[in-house]
Amino acid sequence: MTAKIINGKVISDFFRSEYKLRVDRLISQGTRPGLAVVIVGDDAASQVYVRNKAKACESIGMYSEVHPLPATTRQAALTAFVEQLNANPNIHGILVQLPLPKGLDDRAVIEAISAKKDVDGFHCANMGALVIDESPYPPCTPYGVMKMLEYEGIPIEGRHAVIIGRSNIVGKPQAMLLLKAGATVTICHSKTQDLPAFCRSADILVAAVGRPNFVKGSWIKPGAVVIDVGINRLPDGKLCGDVDYAEALLAASAITPVPGGVGPMTITMLLGNTLKAAERAAGIAGTTDPGETGLA
Ligand code: NDP
């Protein structure tokens, strides 16, 4: 068996063209969705991510502004800055690029963002809503994974989904979203005993570990769907995922590549969440789903 390659770029373009129609409509009604991105310090990789987010906004007609702050920024100054953005009516989504430099408290900054503008979905109120029922802004990476599965028509209900990783930004919210979709969910992490055995029982395997080629082909149940969230830079500068792609291709029924899989979907869901926040601010019931096509 050779797995179907799930093309995150194609799926992303599909969503973005739908979002663009909604952005145009909102602009014609007097609201241009706006995203503010705050980056503290001079981490090169973070600066590339931030630029890509701003470019993506502009590509569908949204407004974006990037605020680079020095690494010496104090917690109180950062909080005050975020509060100014909370009060700015032209800004509907606020994203603080994480991790913050040492000495700054990521969680405190996330909590300073208005829950209504928390388009990353990391605020306690939105995380809590995700656990209890449904967050208006599901965290972008796991939400992008759900949208890929839906787009590909991959059944989730009744399937066993195994997630490797329990971070607040990927593993935990991914588990909540899969659970809500009717999967039986197992979360694995660094203390899990016999990880390969858990993986072999997965109909849907999501790897979010941060270790290159960590998941071996022999860990994959024949016909499983493999979602590789990992982004790892190899010594030669190339990117690779957490899954041994060449091996997994022979075992899985479908797989996301790295790059070109989950990565583009993360940014696209950020656009969707920002658009939704702007629609809500304008009194329109926003959704992250493309409305015109009926794709749920
Ligand atoms: P974290 O480092 O926060 O979490 C990694 C998780 O992997 C932890 O829960 C850790 O367990 C677990 N883990 C580490 N080693 C092992 C092991 N040997 N066996 C089993 N589990 C292990 O990473 P993130 O969740 O932030 O990111 C994961 C990956 O996804 C990274 O490569 C990151 O770059 C990528 N990423 C990609 C995005 C995209 O858009 N495609 C967006 C966000 C992240 P424990 O909790 O016990 O330490």
Side-chain angles (χ1 to χ4, degrees), residues 141 164-167 169-170 188-191 195 208-211 214 229-232 242 262-263 266:
T141 300
I164 320 175
R166 57 174 165 178
S167 69
I169 65 168
V170 188
C188 299
H189 46 79
S190 68
K191 308 291 184 286
L195 179 64
V209 189
R211 293 184 171 217
F214 177 72
V229 177
I231 301 179
N232 306 290
D242 288 343
V262 176
T266 297

Side-chain angles (χ1 to χ4, degrees), residues 31-49:
T31 301
R32 187 173 184 204
L35 174 72
V37 184
V38 179
I39 175 165
V40 187
D42 45 18
D43 179 70
S46 294
Q47 282 173 349
V48 172
Y49 290 142

